[in-house]
């Protein structure tokens, strides 16, 4: 009887123990279910139409198609600068002058050499005439006559050389005045009175006021989408009026400092845009690309693929995207998102695909 009672008590204890374990596990399961059911609070943003615009705007500047750097053909010290930036000039107008003192001295020296050479030639001519008569009379040898004739030719060459040197000095004196080679506007000055410049050093830039163009720089990742003939719209910062134009030149080489490419666009000149004016250049990006920027914190990676979490039916859904350039704390999304997509911008490191979320 005692044995039977002991078996009964042992069975009762085991039953109670199983019941306790079952209740404990049930509590944990309910706690886990409740925890998993709680949505994760996240920050989010909606992709709007202005962000998804396929138009790009660049800052540009109005230039002339014909901008000529001007320099002296001789070196020297600048005496006077007769123009300033913005001055309109006409062809042949004197723009800068050099100190002419040394050049005038060179001309005086060259003139003296011409006179000496001319005097030597006169003497050589007289000697040649005299020797010709003496040769006819048999008073001198043929060799003596030939030597006299050689001296005459040498004197003639010396005079020609002296004359050439004089003309060169005269030209250098004329080069001391820098003149406009065409009508235009002075858009840059690089030298002031008193400054010593070398031959060929740019001292002014002259631009033709007609045949204007817009010049702007585009980044490396955008230049491949541009083509010669692509349409653009140009407007100034002081007017909303847009002028139609088209790209006619794309630099094949990037600037070594900014790593951007210079692009030039022509347009119909209506008088509204002036040389040196800052403008906005609006152009369409490649139809297959979407250019917009989102916070860097929104971008994550799964299995080595970049993407963002969008919110669909209160769940976080991972979407792969194509990344572009960086700009401050933002990153460019070139493709993978659509207008109206709600993307999570913070807390992506705690998310998994399909997780329930709640926007803060």
């Amino acid at each position: 009887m005692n044995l039977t009672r002991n078996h009964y008590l042992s069975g009762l204890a085991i039953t109670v123990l199983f019941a306790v374990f079952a209740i404990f596990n049930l509590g944990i399961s309910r706690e886990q279910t409740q925890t998993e059911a709680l949505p994760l609070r996240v920050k989010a943003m909606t992709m709007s139409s202005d962000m998804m615009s396929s138009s790009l705007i660049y800052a540009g500047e109005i230039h002339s198609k014909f901008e000529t750097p001007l320099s002296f053909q001789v070196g020297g010290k600048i005496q006077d600068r007769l123009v300033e930036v913005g001055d309109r000039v006409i062809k042949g107008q004197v723009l800068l002058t050099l100190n002419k003192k040394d050049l005038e001295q060179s001309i005086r020296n060259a003139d003296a050499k011409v006179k000496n050479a001319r005097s030597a030639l006169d003497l050589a001519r007289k000697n040649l005439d005299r020797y010709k008569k003496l040769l006819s009379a048999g008073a001198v040898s043929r060799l003596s006559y030939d030597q006299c004739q050689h001296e005459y030719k040498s004197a003639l060459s010396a005079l020609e050389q002296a004359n050439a040197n004089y003309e060169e000095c005269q030209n250098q004196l004329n080069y001391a005045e820098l003149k406009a080679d065409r009508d235009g506007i002075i858009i840059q000055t690089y030298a002031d009175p008193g400054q010593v410049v070398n031959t060929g050093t740019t001292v002014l830039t002259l631009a033709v006021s007609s045949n204007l163009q817009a010049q702007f720089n585009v980044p490396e990742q955008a230049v491949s989408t541009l083509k010669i003939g692509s349409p653009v719209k140009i407007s100034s910062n002081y007017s909303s009026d847009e002028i139609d134009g088209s790209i006619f030149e794309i630099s094949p080489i990037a600037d070594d400092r900014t790593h951007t490419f210079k692009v030039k666009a022509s347009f119909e000149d209506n008088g509204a845009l002036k040389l040196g004016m800052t403008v906005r250049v609006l152009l369409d990006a490649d139809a297959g690309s979407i250019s917009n920027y989102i916070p860097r914190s929104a971008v994550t990676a799964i299995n080595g693929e970049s993407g963002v979490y969008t919110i669909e039916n209160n769940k976080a859904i991972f979407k792969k995207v194509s990344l572009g350039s960086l700009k401050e704390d933002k990153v460019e999304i070139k493709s993978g998102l659509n207008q109206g997509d709600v993307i999570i911008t913070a807390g992506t490191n705690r998310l998994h695909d399909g997780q329930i979320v709640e926007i803060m």
Side-chain angles (χ1 to χ4, degrees), residues 24-84:
F24 180 74
N25 287 335
L26 179 62
I28 292 177
S29 177
R30 286 179 178 177
E31 183 178 353
Q32 288 177 342
T33 302
Q34 290 176 354
T35 301
E36 290 180 356
L38 290 176
L40 180 65
R41 302 190 72 189
V42 296
K43 292 182 179 180
M45 63 179 287
T46 302
M47 304 301 295
S48 59
S49 58
D50 57 338
M51 294 174 60
M52 305 302 293
S53 171
S54 61
S55 295
L56 302 175
I57 298 178
Y58 294 100
E61 199 171 79
I62 299 300
H63 289 262
S64 170
K65 286 185 180 179
F66 305 103
E67 295 183 358
T68 306
L70 302 179
S71 59
F72 285 102
Q73 292 181 254
V74 293
K77 185 176 183 179
I78 295 178
Q79 184 74 33
D80 295 301
R81 191 182 72 202
L82 307 175
V83 291
E84 300 292 341

Side-chain angles (χ1 to χ4, degrees), residues 262-280:
K262 178 171 288 187
V263 180
K264 299 179 181 179
S266 59
F267 58 90
E268 191 68 29
D269 187 7
N270 63 357
L273 300 179
K274 307 295 184 183
L275 274 172
M277 184 178 286
T278 301
V279 294
R280 297 185 301 271

Side-chain angles (χ1 to χ4, degrees), residues 289-351:
S289 66
I290 297 175
S291 178
N292 52 91
Y293 287 85
I294 64 173
R296 291 193 195 183
S297 57
V299 179
T300 186
I302 295 180
N303 297 326
E305 294 183 312
S306 299
V308 300
Y309 281 103
T310 62
I311 299 177
E312 300 179 17
N313 298 322
N314 296 325
K315 292 183 178 180
I317 305 299
F318 182 78
K319 275 192 176 183
K320 292 186 293 183
V321 296
S322 175
L323 301 179
S325 62
L326 299 176
K327 186 169 68 174
E328 297 176 352
D329 60 343
K330 296 182 179 181
V331 61
E332 180 187 16
I333 303 299
K334 302 185 73 174
S335 64
L337 294 176
N338 300 308
Q339 181 179 342
D341 283 347
V342 179
I343 64 171
I344 297 174
T345 59
T348 55
N349 59 324
R350 296 180 297 158
L351 293 173

